[in-house]
Amino acid sequence: MSDIDKLWLHQHLPGIQASQQADDLASYGSDWSRLREPAPAAVLFPQHQEQVAQIIDCANREGLALVPSGGRTGLSGGAIAADGELVLSLERMRQLDPVNHADASVRVEAGVVTASIQQQAERAGLFYGVDFAAAGSSQIGGNIATNAGGIRVLRYGLTRDQVLGLEAVSGKGELLQLNHGLIKNATGYDLRHLLIGSEGTLAVITAATLKLWPDPGERQVLLLAVDGHQALLPLFMAARQALRLSAFEFFTHDCVRHVCAHAGLPPPLEQAAGMYVLLECDAVSDEQVAALFEQLVEQQLVSDGVISQSRQHAQQLWQYRERISESIAAQRPYKNDIAVRIAAVPELLQQLDELIQRHYPAFEVLWYGHIGDGNIHMNVLKPDDLSPAAFKQQCELVNEQVFDCIQRLAGSISAEHGVGLLKQPWLQYSRTPVEIDIMRRIKSVLDPGGILNPGKLL
Amino acid sequence: MKILVLVKRVIDYNVRVRVKSDASGVETDGVKMSINPFDEIALEEALRLREAGHAEEVLVVSMGSEACQQQLRTALAMGADRAIHLATDDALQPLSAARVIKALIEREQPGIVLLGKQAIDNDNNQTGQMLAALWQRPQATNAAKVELADGSVRVTREVDDGLEVLELQLPAVITTDLRLNTPRFVKLPDIMKAKKKPLDVLAITELQADIDADAEQALQISDWQAPPKRGGGIKVDSVDALVAELKSRGLV
């Protein structure tokens, strides 16, 4: 494929913007996982669905591999192009239509940045349900392709739950218009949901119609001191009963220590706790929140806590959760993003804690995640004196036992980060051989040439 | 010593403020209201002075409709000892507000009056100064550091060419700047405690403040308008086109 040059691109893909500049190749060939050295042959920037189809036809004709590409904020290497592929960037397709008030929906092209959907919704007095730390950089096409989750899943669901219509081009070059923004549509296989979470292996998503929610109104944030993980589940159940929750996150004191050092923030509470829960709910009366707090203290679930009284305080409290990932990024943490049913969370934490004590005694392990979704982020920090390669190798040795434990609990080895390259070797811990075989057969129907994101997921 | 802190109820700093459709003011219905951030800093400073043993009591005062009791409750939950709601349905000008506070000072005899350098709604930056003048006591505005000694207070201000340090005899008025401190979060155990703290309501007419009707009429707002929408940018194809465009607009 080294014969792909300017002339080749001009002849085979006339009218399509492309770049082969070294910095573009390096940047568009990689994502936040930085799993492999980027080495794509070229980066393509189609401007409408027909150009996407044109690129797919060309790839099928010439037997070339395509890597669909959005904001490249993924953590599993799903957008990495390291083997001379053509990167198909959707970023020039970023039409953001006006909000459709009657339908409470908005049509967006794949390259629209996630956070700008929220801004568009807010201008119309509505709300987009998905939010996460990378929302200012990620693009909706990638969100859909990975079924992105984030911090408000427990109230609004996953990206999948927001998609009312999907426009895409299959790996065979067929133009697809799926579900047309309908709420009810009982006419057979819902192909839209097949493409959501398919990580660019079946089709290239070009646009979507997204559901918008009523403006949630004022919300408050509580940060609670919790003694240990055995308190998390009863605390969640009590909070769910008493409040209208939109987020329920936990993190350990080590996470707070890193955030404070990195961001120069004061400690959130006077006395450090072993663990913290940050919850967000619809605004509550002082009486309601005081009664709940008294009950939680009585049950010895919570020892201390603070509550936001202004949006500024709410934002400041969120920082202790949202900035964890960036505060440890320099230490190149080994990330595991796992999920079990909510009821199994305490057991999972217990078992993993024991595993870590046994196998990583010298490593610093940070725990945080979305208890309300049964989703735990486990970050192992690299000790300074260990080479990156040796560190990765040691982490992978323990993976097998971590994933064994998840398999026993019928959980997921990738809750919201996707499979990509990182989890591909471990897929069988969450999916049966029969399921994986069916997935392969589905892929062969939609992408018979195997041109879309080869080597990822399956 | 008693510290009197003034807190104003304003539209939350993070709310996108909208002008009412009839241009008679800004929309406040269903909009999140909070303590003016500079006043919150003043309250935090007062609490720290009390915690350091320099004061025995922190009294918070807010002027306005009944709704501002919500901000007083928040101030009590943050740690203030007592609150007074100066009830009025009029939005008073800074001079009148200062006269009302002056009348309250006669009753309460505080050692320090702490307030934000300005409120983020009208950005007047006047009440503190006017109050000091009416009270005939020293003032330090835009405080970036406050240190208390016996009978006097040292206040550091960030000015254009460095730091200015003032030493004031007490009682005095201090207005607070943004970087003086970071206000604390409200602790959950303190929410119930705040309910039990005294919050007295006093109609401003009861204070017999010398509100000058002429002064209230001196400045009237005739119209409210949203800032003009920003025009879109343009794209140019080359450096030459950029230079030509800048020249045509007289920018280079």
Side-chain angles (χ1 to χ4, degrees):
Chain A
M1 282 179 223
S2 55
D3 53 354
I4 292 180
D5 57 14
K6 207 171 171 180
L7 182 64
W8 188 97
L9 290 166
H10 183 69
Q11 286 172 343
H12 290 80
L13 294 164
I16 289 172
Q17 293 180 14
S19 171
Q20 290 187 295
Q21 287 181 25
D23 53 344
D24 280 342
L25 295 179
S27 154
Y28 287 89
S30 191
D31 65 16
W32 283 6
S33 73
R34 294 184 290 184
L35 273 178
R36 291 182 57 189
E37 281 305 308
V43 188
L44 308 174
F45 299 100
Q47 289 178 296
H48 42 78
Q49 199 187 25
E50 288 71 26
Q51 287 194 334
V52 174
Q54 187 190 341
I55 293 167
I56 288 177
D57 286 343
C58 168
N60 274 314
R61 235 175 13 249
E62 304 291 326
L64 299 173
L66 296 175
V67 177
S69 178
R72 305 182 308 288
T73 57
L75 297 168
S76 294
I80 283 182
D83 294 307
E85 303 96 328
L86 293 171
V87 171
L88 196 166
S89 170
L90 279 303
E91 75 173 27
R92 306 258 163 105
M93 293 180 59
R94 49 171 179 243
Q95 174 70 33
L96 177 54
D97 284 359
V99 165
N100 182 328
H101 285 268
D103 290 350
S105 70
V106 62
R107 182 186 171 276
V108 298
E109 285 190 332
V112 167
V113 170
T114 313
S116 57
I117 300 170
Q118 187 63 278
Q119 287 158 13
Q120 181 86 331
E122 278 173 12
R123 275 191 287 271
L126 295 167
F127 185 77
Y128 179 57
V130 175
D131 191 15
F132 42 82
S137 310
S138 78
Q139 294 167 18
I140 188 63
N143 294 174
I144 295 170
T146 55
N147 190 20
I151 53 179
R152 300 218 166 80
V153 172
L154 86 110
R155 175 89 155 252
Y156 299 102
L158 298 156
T159 297
R160 176 185 303 286
D161 301 298
Q162 324 303 321
V163 178
L164 296 171
L166 208 52
E167 297 163 43
V169 184
S170 76
K172 218 174 153 180
E174 300 142 316
L175 301 185
L176 302 172
Q177 301 260 356
L178 305 172
N179 203 54
H180 309 281
L182 294 171
I183 296 167
K184 288 189 173 179
N185 181 13
T187 54
Y189 307 149
D190 196 333
L191 301 179
R192 156 187 60 151
H193 285 298
L194 193 52
L195 301 194
I196 298 169
S198 66
E199 302 190 17
T201 63
L202 300 178
V204 175
I205 292 160
T206 55
T209 302
L210 302 170
K211 170 182 185 167
L212 300 177
W213 300 78
D215 180 350
E218 272 322 305
R219 283 164 295 178
Q220 283 184 292
V221 174
L222 277 72
L223 185 80
L224 303 168
V226 182
D227 281 340
H229 52 64
Q230 66 286 349
L232 290 172
L233 190 57
L235 175 56
F236 172 60
M237 291 167 70
R240 187 172 56 181
Q241 187 80 24
L243 308 168
R244 218 170 122 64
L245 292 176
S246 48
F248 191 97
E249 305 279 313
F250 97 103
F251 40 94
T252 56
H253 181 66
D254 289 329
C255 299
V256 168
R257 212 165 35 74
H258 281 279
V259 170
C260 290
H262 171 77
L265 295 177
L269 302 175
E270 267 166 25
Q271 289 213 313
M275 229 172 238
Y276 301 85
V277 159
L278 180 146
L279 67 85
E280 185 189 78
C281 59
D282 287 1
V284 279
S285 71
D286 287 350
E287 286 76 13
Q288 233 180 322
V289 80
L292 174 66
F293 181 70
E294 251 168 47
Q295 176 203 334
L296 297 175
V297 171
E298 231 161 70
Q299 295 172 338
Q300 297 187 317
L301 299 174
V302 161
S303 55
D304 196 5
V306 292
I307 179 167
S308 69
Q309 296 288 338
S310 65
R311 289 196 186 178
Q312 179 127 355
H313 281 174
Q315 282 171 7
Q316 283 169 357
L317 288 170
W318 262 116
Q319 291 203 27
Y320 293 102
R321 166 64 185 89
E322 287 206 314
R323 299 186 74 172
I324 296 171
S325 202
E326 69 172 76
S327 75
I328 54 175
Q331 279 136 301
R332 304 288 291 264
Y334 189 84
K335 286 172 180 283
N336 258 326
D337 161 45
I338 51 193
V340 290
R341 285 177 304 107
I342 295 170
V345 167
E347 200 179 337
L348 176 73
L349 286 172
Q350 178 70 33
Q351 292 188 13
L352 290 183
D353 226 21
E354 282 165 20
L355 258 177
I356 302 296
Q357 302 284 346
R358 216 163 345 131
H359 297 281
Y360 289 119
F363 291 178
E364 184 180 354
V365 181
L366 299 183
W367 300 91
Y368 56 96
H370 323 282
I371 291 294
D373 317 328
N375 180 188
I376 309 294
H377 296 296
M378 171 184 143
N379 284 244
V380 188
L381 303 192
K382 190 182 82 60
D384 288 339
D385 55 358
L386 207 58
S387 76
F391 173 64
K392 184 163 174 279
Q393 196 195 358
Q394 291 191 29
C395 289
E396 280 174 355
L397 282 177
V398 188
N399 261 355
E400 209 160 315
Q401 304 188 49
V402 170
F403 294 156
D404 250 345
C405 164
I406 290 165
Q407 192 172 28
R408 277 198 306 277
L409 293 168
S412 173
I413 58 155
S414 187
E416 59 180 358
H417 292 175
V419 176
L421 290 169
L422 184 69
K423 296 292 168 64
Q424 191 266 343
W426 312 96
L427 190 57
Q428 73 274 15
Y429 283 87
S430 277
R431 310 300 294 262
T432 63
V434 173
E435 280 182 286
I436 293 172
D437 184 53
I438 292 173
M439 288 201 251
R440 283 186 206 286
R441 275 145 57 198
I442 290 171
K443 170 141 173 107
S444 73
V445 171
L446 283 161
D447 178 25
I451 57 157
L452 288 182
N453 230 359
K456 317 284 170 57
L457 179 56
L458 291 170
Chain B
M1 183 176 66
K2 181 191 293 183
I3 302 178
L4 194 156
V5 181
L6 301 178
V7 299
K8 187 172 184 184
R9 173 182 165 94
V10 298
I11 293 179
D12 190 283
Y13 164 73
N14 288 282
V15 169
R16 195 196 308 262
V17 177
R18 280 194 298 263
V19 175
K20 283 184 183 166
S21 50
D22 65 358
S24 65
V26 296
E27 197 60 71
T28 53
D29 280 357
V31 171
K32 169 73 179 166
M33 306 296 281
S34 296
I35 297 178
N36 171 40
F38 292 110
D39 295 339
E40 197 180 34
I41 290 167
L43 174 57
E44 174 66 32
E45 197 63 19
L47 297 174
R48 289 183 190 188
L49 288 171
R50 188 194 62 195
E51 282 157 4
H54 294 301
E56 290 79 45
E57 187 183 28
V58 173
L59 166 64
V60 281
V61 176
S62 190
M63 201 182 302
S65 68
E66 196 183 337
C68 64
Q69 290 184 16
Q70 196 188 339
Q71 278 61 48
L72 289 173
R73 285 289 173 207
T74 299
L76 291 171
M78 278 177 73
D81 300 291
R82 184 159 70 88
I84 296 178
H85 168 210
L86 296 173
T88 171
D89 287 329
D90 302 325
L92 294 179
Q93 305 270 341
L95 182 56
S96 300
R99 284 180 166 147
V100 173
I101 300 300
K102 165 68 174 31
L104 182 70
I105 284 173
E106 311 274 310
R107 290 191 179 199
E108 294 288 343
Q109 301 290 327
I112 298 176
V113 176
L114 263 167
L115 68 159
K117 67 172 181 181
Q118 67 200 70
I120 61 167
D121 49 4
N122 290 334
D123 280 342
N124 284 320
N125 192 341
Q126 293 173 348
T127 308
Q129 293 89 326
M130 289 174 169
L131 176 64
L134 291 170
W135 193 17
Q136 296 187 309
R137 293 304 308 169
Q139 60 174 302
T141 56
N142 305 8
K145 194 174 176 188
V146 175
E147 299 156 285
L148 224 66
D150 281 340
S152 72
V153 58
R154 274 163 71 90
V155 175
T156 307
R157 313 171 71 233
E158 291 174 353
V159 293
D160 283 351
D161 44 5
L163 298 177
E164 182 183 72
V165 181
L166 303 178
E167 199 162 315
L168 288 74
Q169 293 302 309
L170 297 178
V173 175
I174 301 172
T175 75
T176 53
D177 210 340
L178 194 63
R179 277 189 292 188
L180 177 59
N181 60 48
T182 305
R184 64 196 64 190
F185 299 115
V186 168
K187 285 194 249 166
L188 282 161
D190 293 341
I191 286 197
M192 258 355 249
K193 286 184 204 157
K195 291 273 169 203
K196 297 183 184 113
K197 291 179 180 175
L199 192 165
D200 298 322
V201 183
L202 198 58
I204 62 167
T205 46
E206 281 180 59
L207 277 171
Q208 291 168 341
D210 180 22
I211 296 179
D212 183 349
D214 287 346
E216 277 300 299
Q217 297 294 318
L219 190 139
Q220 287 182 15
I221 296 166
S222 54
D223 189 25
W224 294 73
Q225 279 185 17
K229 280 218 167 75
R230 282 174 62 178
I234 60 159
K235 278 188 179 171
V236 289
D237 296 328
S238 64
V239 174
D240 289 342
L242 175 65
V243 172
E245 183 63 34
L246 290 173
K247 274 190 178 153
S248 77
R249 297 182 185 208
L251 295 171
V252 287

